[in-house]
């Protein structure tokens, strides 16, 4: 194996592995350095997303939703279940099997595309050289015309609540419990905290989420966030805002959590504690001083719009650079960088970035919120459609939530779509496509949506943004 490549990618999460595959597709000799070890200490591709993030969390969210429906939801449908048994270790091993299959799949794709996987830790040296320190500490040197850094992120740890065995855990630890905690505290009511809190709540845990901020999901459209807060509360997720955790201590198999709210200082005794206070860029060991790659004030690798760092030919993508920490954002940056290296014109449309919270109901959005449009002084009209008025949602027995479409009154273009409800993550796709194609509400109005489907709610909300929804009373007629 020659030690020189057209491109060396460091990190094989959804940003890095996608970049590597696209580079290889475009005819570049490509290597990808990855050091991840899975539970059995076996090297694995896929990064956070496949190993301890998107995929395992969704595997548990799906399984626990079925369990919850079987216990609480089927009776309304005329189905009485008895003797329902929960096998948590089996649920966890199903999740592990899905992870193994998907990470193995990336390995297969690397082979199929002729990408060399250099197992170990990559460090960028001067003059686009990369040192790879193998798992047994043996160093090897490589060189490349271009380097793509995709080293991702890791959970932020709170020194006041240090992780301890399986009792005080981060998001990765909360995917591994073999039994249901009686009482669970989650620090941080952000996306990860809500998803993991939901998993264990559905299985019967008493769940308290402590959130320092005074607003709930501030990045979400306020009407949707309010609906979500109310719905999650009804499910038994005890979300306490303006509540700052100040410390924790483990006593035997219990944890005492200390926190402050407007009434003063308090303590809570719980069985498990999840620290879900966000993620930080991971740059440990990847940049030598001689590489000369600059970080920004937040510790992220500084890049321009093309994801190029201050050193020509060295790029950075995914969670390690500015922008939302989302798998698909990193993947799109990977494609863009690969295409730019090969001389094509390529860009990422950050204005049309889908976001999803995979709770039940799901929350999904793209584009601007009403609050942002008001702040920007945009002349817009909102159209909403509740799932309670959707025939398909009624048939499914899942009628909570709504769709909101925001329309530019001047251009008739869609400025944002906000959904809380069944299959919101899948429904969002059509709004993302519409915005990417610059569709007008008129275009959407003319688009036929199958009946009876949940997607009719998207259609109706768009019509409602023009005062002409059919299945609800409109605020304004055309
Ligand atoms: P990562 O996936 O973090 O991959 C970076 C890789 O680089 C790792 O494999 C690491 O081992 C490797 N690496 C680091 N340094 C070196 C080095 N020096 N040498 C070699 N290798 C190195 N996002 C979504 O879009 N949807 C979701 O549903 C979702 N759910 C999530 C749920 C949880 C519980 C968590 C924790 C995250 C979730 N995310 C989700 C976020 C998503 O996982 C990240 O945004 C995504 O993984 C970032 O991709 P990345 O390739 O930039 O980095
Ligand atoms: P996210 O960044 O979406 O993963 O959310 C993490 C959340 O954790 C943020 O909303 C923070 O406000 C919250 N958070 C951070 N530190 C604390 C703390 N000490 N106590 C309670 N909440 C916190």
């Amino acid at each position: 194996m020659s030690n020189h490549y057209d491109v060396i990618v460091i990190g094989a999460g959804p940003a890095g592995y996608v970049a590597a595959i696209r580079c290889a597709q475009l005819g570049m000799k490509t290597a990808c350095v990855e050091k991840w070890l899975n539970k059995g200490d076996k090297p694995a591709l896929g990064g956070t997303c496949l190993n301890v993030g998107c995929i395992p969390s969704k595997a548990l969210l799906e399984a626990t939703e079925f369990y919850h429906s079987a216990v609480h939801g089927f009776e309304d449908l005329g189905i009485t279940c008895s003797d329902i048994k929960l096998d948590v270790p089996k649920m966890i091993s199903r999740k592990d099997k899905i992870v193994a299959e998907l990470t193995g799949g990336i390995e297969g794709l690397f082979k199929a595309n002729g990408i060399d996987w250099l197992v170990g830790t990559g460090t960028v040296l001067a003059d686009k050289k990369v040192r790879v320190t193998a798992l047994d500490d043996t160093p090897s040197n490589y060189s490349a015309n271009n380097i793509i850094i995709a080293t991702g992120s890791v959970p932020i740890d709170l020194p006041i609540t240090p992780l301890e065995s399986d009792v005080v855990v981060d998001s990765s630890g909360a995917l591994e419990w073999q039994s249901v905690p009686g009482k669970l505290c989650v620090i941080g009511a952000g996306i990860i905290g809500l998803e993991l809190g939901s998993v264990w709540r559905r299985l019967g845990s008493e769940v308290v989420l402590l959130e320092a901020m005074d607003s709930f999901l501030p990045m979400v459209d306020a009407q949707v966030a309010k609906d979500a807060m109310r719905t999650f509360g009804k499910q038994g997720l005890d979300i306490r805002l303006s509540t700052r955790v100040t410390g924790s201590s483990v006593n035997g198999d219990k944890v005492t959590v200390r926190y402050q709210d407007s009434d003063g200082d308090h303590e809570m005794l719980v069985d498990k504690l999840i620290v879900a206070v966000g993620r930080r860029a991971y740059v440990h060991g990847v940049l030598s001083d001689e590489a000369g790659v600059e970080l920004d004030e937040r510790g992220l690798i500084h890049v321009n719009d093309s994801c190029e760092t201050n050193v020509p030919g060295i790029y950075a993508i995914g969670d390690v650079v500015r922008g939302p920490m989302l798998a698909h954002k990193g993947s799109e940056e990977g494609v863009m960088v690969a295409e730019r290296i090969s001389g094509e014109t390529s860009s990422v449309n950050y204005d049309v970035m889908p976001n999803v919270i995979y709770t039940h109901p799901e929350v999904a959005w793209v584009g601007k919120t009403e609050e942002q449009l008001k702040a920007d002084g945009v002349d817009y009209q909102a159209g909403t459609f509740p799932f309670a008025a959707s025939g398909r949602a009624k048939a499914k027995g899942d009628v909570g939530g709504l769709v909101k479409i925001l329309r530019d009154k001047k251009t008739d273009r869609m400025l944002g779509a906000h959904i809380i409800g069944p299959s919101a993550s899948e429904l969002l796709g059509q709004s993302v496509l519409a915005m990417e194609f610059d569709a007008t509400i008129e275009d959407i109005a003319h688009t036929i949506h199958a009946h009876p489907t949940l997607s009719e709610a998207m259609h109706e909300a768009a019509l409602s943004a023009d005062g002409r929804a059919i299945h609800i009373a409109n605020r304004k007629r055309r």
Side-chain angles (χ1 to χ4, degrees):
M1 196 192 326
S2 152
N3 280 7
H4 184 79
Y5 289 90
D6 294 320
V7 181
I8 295 180
V9 183
I10 305 179
Y17 84 70
V18 169
I21 290 172
R22 190 73 188 116
C23 286
Q25 282 176 348
L26 292 165
M28 292 179 262
K29 184 172 184 280
T30 307
C32 185
V33 192
E34 174 55 68
K35 66 187 175 80
W36 192 285
L37 295 178
N38 71 11
K39 276 204 246 169
D41 273 350
K42 192 174 166 284
L45 300 170
T48 303
C49 172
L50 267 66
N51 289 285
V52 293
C54 324
I55 298 299
S57 60
K58 266 81 253 176
L60 293 184
L61 280 158
E62 293 288 348
T64 56
E65 184 59 21
F66 280 124
Y67 173 75
H68 189 263
S69 297
V71 174
H72 301 284
F74 286 166
E75 229 160 73
D76 285 349
L77 309 182
I79 305 166
T80 307
C81 301
S82 60
D83 204 22
I84 298 167
K85 291 201 178 66
L86 177 62
D87 186 341
V88 180
K90 192 165 179 182
M91 219 176 243
I92 300 295
S93 57
R94 169 186 176 268
K95 179 263 300 176
D96 291 340
K97 190 164 168 270
I98 293 167
V99 168
E101 284 169 6
L102 290 173
T103 54
I106 306 296
E107 215 175 319
L109 288 172
F110 271 22
K111 283 193 187 118
N113 283 283
I115 298 163
D116 291 333
W117 174 10
L118 310 175
V119 180
T121 302
T123 305
V124 182
L125 309 173
D127 303 325
K128 285 187 255 168
K129 296 211 164 33
V130 174
R131 183 178 60 235
V132 177
T133 309
L135 300 176
D136 64 1
D137 281 340
T138 314
S140 313
N141 282 342
Y142 299 84
S143 59
N145 299 336
N146 298 279
I147 295 171
I148 304 175
I149 302 170
T151 48
S153 63
V154 288
I156 294 176
D157 43 30
L158 280 182
I160 51 168
T161 59
L163 303 188
E164 196 160 327
S165 62
D166 72 338
V167 183
V168 182
V169 299
D170 59 15
S171 56
S172 305
L175 299 167
E176 298 303 333
W177 290 325
Q178 300 288 317
S179 61
V180 182
K183 183 161 181 173
L184 165 64
C185 178
V186 184
I187 313 178
I191 298 178
I192 293 176
L194 285 167
E195 290 186 3
L196 294 174
S198 293
V199 162
W200 295 103
R201 173 70 200 133
R202 290 166 188 177
L203 299 182
S205 280
E206 186 187 332
V207 179
V208 184
L209 293 105
L210 305 181
E211 169 55 59
M213 285 190 301
D214 60 0
S215 59
F216 180 59
L217 297 176
M219 65 294 199
V220 173
D221 187 273
Q223 184 182 3
V224 170
K226 197 170 159 210
D227 196 338
M229 180 79 176
R230 192 178 45 81
T231 308
F232 297 154
K234 276 206 230 154
Q235 293 170 359
L237 288 177
D238 180 358
I239 303 168
R240 303 188 196 167
L241 304 179
S242 305
T243 304
R244 175 171 292 280
V245 171
T246 53
S248 69
S249 39
V250 176
N251 335 81
D253 57 357
K254 300 261 182 203
V255 197
T256 303
V257 183
R258 291 179 288 283
Y259 61 95
Q260 279 171 348
D261 60 17
S262 55
D263 293 334
D265 293 318
H266 310 271
E267 282 189 1
M268 186 195 313
L269 191 65
V270 297
D271 298 291
K272 305 273 185 198
L273 175 63
I274 304 176
V275 182
V277 295
R279 298 180 63 80
R280 64 177 169 80
Y282 183 74
V283 289
H284 180 76
V286 72
L287 297 174
S288 66
D289 287 346
E290 64 202 74
V293 174
E294 286 169 5
L295 303 184
D296 69 15
E297 62 287 350
R298 289 178 301 155
L300 300 157
I301 296 183
H302 182 71
V303 289
N304 63 16
D305 289 348
S306 316
C307 286
E308 195 163 19
T309 69
N310 60 304
V311 181
I314 302 186
Y315 300 82
I317 56 174
D319 281 9
V320 81
V321 303
R322 83 285 178 266
M325 288 187 168
L326 293 169
H328 43 276
K329 175 261 191 187
S331 299
E332 286 310 311
E333 288 176 338
V335 170
M336 171 182 73
V337 167
E339 292 178 351
R340 280 184 169 256
I341 290 173
S342 83
E344 292 181 20
T345 321
S346 189
S347 60
V348 173
N349 186 357
Y350 292 97
D351 292 336
V352 186
M353 186 66 67
N355 294 271
V356 181
I357 309 175
Y358 294 85
T359 42
H360 187 92
E362 291 180 343
V363 178
W365 70 99
V366 60
K368 303 274 190 192
T369 62
E370 270 205 79
E371 294 67 42
Q372 286 166 337
L373 293 178
K374 278 183 194 145
D376 295 348
V378 177
D379 192 14
Y380 73 94
Q381 180 158 1
T384 55
F385 191 82
F387 283 103
S390 151
R392 185 61 187 275
K394 272 213 185 302
K396 285 169 77 70
D398 203 351
V399 291
L402 57 92
V403 179
K404 179 194 278 190
I405 301 285
L406 301 171
R407 161 182 174 261
D408 190 322
K409 277 195 190 167
K410 277 201 204 92
T411 63
D412 197 36
R413 297 229 146 63
M414 199 192 283
L415 300 169
H418 304 271
I419 313 168
I420 175 166
S423 303
S425 56
E426 302 294 345
L427 291 174
L428 186 70
Q430 67 163 280
S431 294
V432 177
L433 196 66
M435 286 181 70
E436 184 64 36
F437 278 54
D438 239 355
T440 59
I441 298 295
E442 187 67 22
D443 294 324
I444 298 165
H446 283 297
T447 306
I448 302 171
H449 291 68
H451 177 73
T453 60
L454 296 172
S455 71
E456 288 171 298
M458 306 295 291
H459 192 213
E460 288 276 17
L463 290 173
S464 155
D466 197 16
R468 52 174 168 147
I470 302 294
H471 292 94
I472 45 160
N474 292 288
R475 264 187 255 146
K476 156 189 158 292
R477 291 246 167 253
R478 261 164 45 110

